Amino acid sequence: MKPLYILVEGQTEEVFVKDMVRPHLLEHAIFDVTPIKISTKAGFKGGFVKYEYLKNDANRLLKQRNDTVISTFVDYFRIPNDIPDYGNCLQIHNIDDRIKCLESSIANDIGNERFLPYIQKYEFESVLFSSNTGFENYYGVNVSKRTNEIIERYSNPEDINDNSATSPSNRLKQIVPQYNKVLTGNILALDIGIERILEKCPRFRDWVTKIINLVNN
């Protein structure tokens, strides 16, 4: 049985992988799934602040066993600029192609077929706009009316854009100032359910499909 490690930015993504992604992968006979927060400096974990830290973790885990599969679950929003070929990738106008360029640059730099980099477009909170269910259940009618306006505007929640005012998390904070990613992000996601997220978020769905194929082949 191949172990799968997913390098994540922080506690929210760690819990999301444990509570949402891992049960789905279990249905595809992938039983050993472990999210790991990226190591930063000695004694600290969490945050995608330097590509070097992610690379160190990936290489360390790949060396543990010759069948270990490694992936990542990190945000494009505020992605570090020390990724190989970062400058050239950012010149690509189409955002999906730009993210693919960054993922390919990381994959080429690590240089291992058991490593599958994934960058979330644009950030974790995009999946929360896959359905209004979470907002309705947790925050009630006043909030859910405003979040529904955003959901109806974007058929693909991954297209909700990424500047300091309009990123998914900042839109949510404007509506719900008390929104706390760690405390409530995964409660909202659980209300939505993984199947709805996979249905509405094509890049995320493609990543999960690639994991299943890589681990099971």
Side-chain angles (χ1 to χ4, degrees):
M1 181 174 60
K2 296 178 184 176
L4 168 65
Y5 293 99
I6 300 177
L7 295 170
V8 299
E9 290 195 38
Q11 184 180 351
T12 303
E13 293 81 4
E14 181 183 30
V15 174
F16 180 76
V17 169
K18 286 180 179 177
D19 291 353
M20 302 286 289
V21 178
R22 183 163 60 185
H24 179 75
L25 294 177
L26 272 171
E27 297 175 7
H28 296 269
I30 300 175
F31 304 107
D32 189 356
V33 182
T34 306
I36 297 179
K37 286 184 283 188
I38 298 168
S39 303
T40 53
K41 51 189 178 180
F44 292 89
K45 288 181 177 289
F48 188 22
V49 293
K50 283 187 179 181
Y51 166 67
E52 169 192 359
Y53 297 145
L54 183 148
K55 180 178 180 177
N56 289 342
D57 280 345
N59 284 330
R60 173 178 54 82
L61 292 167
L62 286 166
K63 290 175 182 176
Q64 288 183 357
R65 287 174 48 166
N66 61 11
D67 62 346
T68 301
V69 174
I70 312 296
S71 192
T72 66
F73 184 44
V74 296
D75 293 345
Y76 173 74
F77 187 42
R78 294 176 179 159
I79 198 165
N81 61 11
D82 62 335
I83 291 173
D85 213 28
Y86 175 88
N88 288 331
C89 290
L90 256 65
Q91 292 179 27
I92 298 173
H93 178 71
N94 181 274
I95 182 62
D96 292 292
D97 291 338
R98 189 188 307 166
I99 294 174
K100 286 179 183 177
C101 177
L102 291 166
E103 290 172 338
S104 294
S105 295
I106 294 171
N108 291 336
D109 188 54
I110 300 294
N112 192 305
E113 62 184 10
R114 293 182 284 114
F115 176 71
L116 175 66
Y118 172 68
I119 299 169
Q120 177 69 23
K121 176 190 171 187
Y122 287 90
E123 58 181 341
F124 166 78
E125 274 79 6
S126 64
V127 305
L128 303 181
F129 289 89
S130 298
S131 167
N132 212 29
T133 301
F135 301 125
E136 289 174 348
N137 291 343
Y138 194 81
Y139 291 117
V141 174
N142 290 337
V143 166
S144 65
K145 283 182 179 178
R146 297 178 65 185
T147 53
N148 193 57
E149 291 175 1
I150 299 171
I151 290 168
E152 290 187 344
R153 199 177 310 149
Y154 293 91
S155 59
N156 177 359
E158 292 173 323
D159 289 338
I160 300 173
N161 57 345
D162 74 331
N163 70 41
S164 58
T166 60
S167 70
S169 63
N170 283 310
R171 287 175 188 258
L172 190 48
K173 287 175 184 176
Q174 289 166 20
I175 298 170
V176 190
Q178 69 270 27
Y179 169 71
N180 183 299
K181 178 175 183 173
V182 174
L183 293 178
T184 59
N186 282 291
I187 294 173
L188 298 171
L190 284 166
D191 268 351
I192 295 165
I194 190 67
E195 294 302 329
R196 180 65 171 173
I197 293 171
L198 290 168
E199 176 190 344
K200 295 293 291 185
C201 300
R203 289 198 81 260
F204 177 80
R205 180 175 66 246
D206 184 58
W207 170 57
V208 173
T209 300
K210 286 178 178 177
I211 285 177
I212 293 168
N213 291 337
L214 185 58
V215 175
N216 285 336
N217 292 326

